[in-house]
C-alpha cells in the first residue's frame, strides 16, 4: 500500500511540475527586429522568401542556413507560418517568441510601446504554452492566454538605435 501511495504522490508531483513549466509569465517586449514568420508581410515578400527557401541547396548550405530551414519547416508543420507572435521578456536577459491565435493576439496588440514607456507601465503576460523550438530564441505556442495585465514598471528596450514597432 505504501508503494502505491508513493507512486501516486510521485506522479502527482511530476504532473504539477510539468504544468508549472508550461506556464509562461513575462513582460511584453518590443523588439527592433520582428522576424518570426509571414504574419503581416506583403505577398511579394512572402513569395521572395519562399523562393529563396526553395532554392537552398541543403547539402551545400552552412549550419545557419540549415538551421533556418529546419525552423521554417517546424513552423510550417505546426501551422504557425501565418500566426501572429509577440516577444516576451521572461528574465532580465532572456526573451521568448510566443505564437498566438488571432483572438489572443487582439488582447495584446492594443498596447503601444511609446505609451507604455511614457506612462512607466508594462504588460505582464501569463500563458499556458507548448514548446516549439529553441532557435534563435525559444519559440513557444500559446495554448491558453491566461492573463494580460497592465502594471507599474519599465517596458523594454529603453534605448534603441533602430525603430521599434508596435504590434499591429
Amino acid at each position: 500500500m505504501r508503494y502505491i501511495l508513493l507512486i501516486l504522490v510521485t506522479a502527482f508531483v511530476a504532473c504539477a511540475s510539468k504544468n508549472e513549466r508550461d506556464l509562461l509569465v513575462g513582460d511584453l517586449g518590443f523588439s527592433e527586429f520582428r522576424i518570426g514568420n509571414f504574419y503581416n508581410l506583403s505577398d511579394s515578400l512572402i513569395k521572395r522568401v519562399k523562393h529563396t527557401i526553395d532554392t537552398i541547396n541543403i547539402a551545400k548550405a552552412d549550419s545557419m542556413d540549415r538551421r533556418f530551414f529546419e525552423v521554417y519547416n517546424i513552423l510550417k508543420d505546426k501551422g504557425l507560418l501565418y500566426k501572429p507572435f509577440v516577444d516576451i521578456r521572461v528574465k532580465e536577459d532572456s526573451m521568448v517568441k510566443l505564437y498566438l491565435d488571432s483572438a489572443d493576439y487582439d488582447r495584446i496588440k492594443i498596447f503601444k510601446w511609446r505609451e507604455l514607456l511614457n506612462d512607466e507601465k508594462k504588460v505582464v503576460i501569463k500563458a499556458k504554452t507548448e514548446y516549439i523550438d529553441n532557435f534563435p530564441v525559444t519559440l513557444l505556442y500559446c495554448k491558453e492566454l491566461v492573463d494580460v495585465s497592465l502594471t507599474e514598471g519599465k517596458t523594454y528596450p529603453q534605448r534603441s538605435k533602430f525603430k521599434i514597432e508596435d504590434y499591429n
Side-chain angles (χ1 to χ4, degrees):
M1 182 68 174
R2 271 192 294 171
Y3 294 112
I4 293 173
L5 184 59
L6 180 63
I7 290 171
L8 288 174
V9 169
T10 304
F12 176 76
V13 170
C15 289
S17 297
K18 183 179 184 325
N19 288 339
E20 287 175 14
R21 281 189 307 238
D22 290 345
L23 182 66
L24 170 73
V25 178
D27 301 339
L28 180 63
F30 294 84
S31 179
E32 298 92 3
F33 299 107
R34 298 210 51 238
I35 301 170
N37 63 8
F38 295 147
Y39 181 78
N40 248 2
L41 294 181
S42 68
D43 290 341
S44 61
L45 184 56
I46 292 170
K47 185 177 179 179
R48 219 175 346 164
V49 171
K50 284 183 174 183
H51 175 73
T52 302
I53 289 170
D54 290 342
T55 59
I56 291 176
N57 183 344
I58 297 299
K60 293 183 179 180
D62 64 15
S63 62
M64 187 66 124
D65 285 343
R66 281 194 300 270
R67 187 65 181 120
F68 174 78
F69 186 74
E70 288 172 22
V71 171
Y72 170 82
N73 282 328
I74 289 168
L75 293 175
K76 183 178 171 184
D77 292 344
K78 293 196 174 277
L80 300 175
L81 280 179
Y82 294 92
K83 295 260 186 195
F85 65 89
V86 294
D87 295 312
I88 306 292
R89 187 172 189 254
V90 290
K91 295 180 185 170
E92 190 169 320
D93 60 347
S94 180
M95 297 284 275
V96 300
K97 196 167 294 290
L98 181 66
Y99 290 85
L100 307 130
D101 290 326
S102 295
D104 290 334
Y105 183 70
D106 289 344
R107 291 176 55 192
I108 295 172
K109 73 178 185 179
I110 60 172
F111 298 102
K112 305 299 179 201
W113 176 72
R114 180 59 60 192
E115 291 174 12
L116 293 168
L117 192 63
N118 290 342
D119 297 341
E120 296 182 358
K121 304 269 185 188
K122 66 180 181 178
V123 178
V124 177
I125 308 282
K126 292 181 186 174
K128 292 182 182 176
T129 63
E130 175 185 319
Y131 176 81
I132 299 170
D133 201 86
N134 203 29
F135 175 81
V137 297
T138 301
L139 307 176
L140 302 171
Y141 175 69
C142 179
K143 295 189 293 187
E144 178 186 346
L145 189 57
V146 176
D147 187 42
V148 178
S149 57
L150 187 63
T151 63
E152 298 293 323
K154 291 183 179 180
T155 296
Y156 290 90
Q158 287 296 325
R159 294 187 186 133
S160 175
K161 295 178 185 176
F162 302 101
K163 179 180 177 186
I164 294 177
E165 294 187 23
D166 291 320
Y167 294 102
N168 291 324

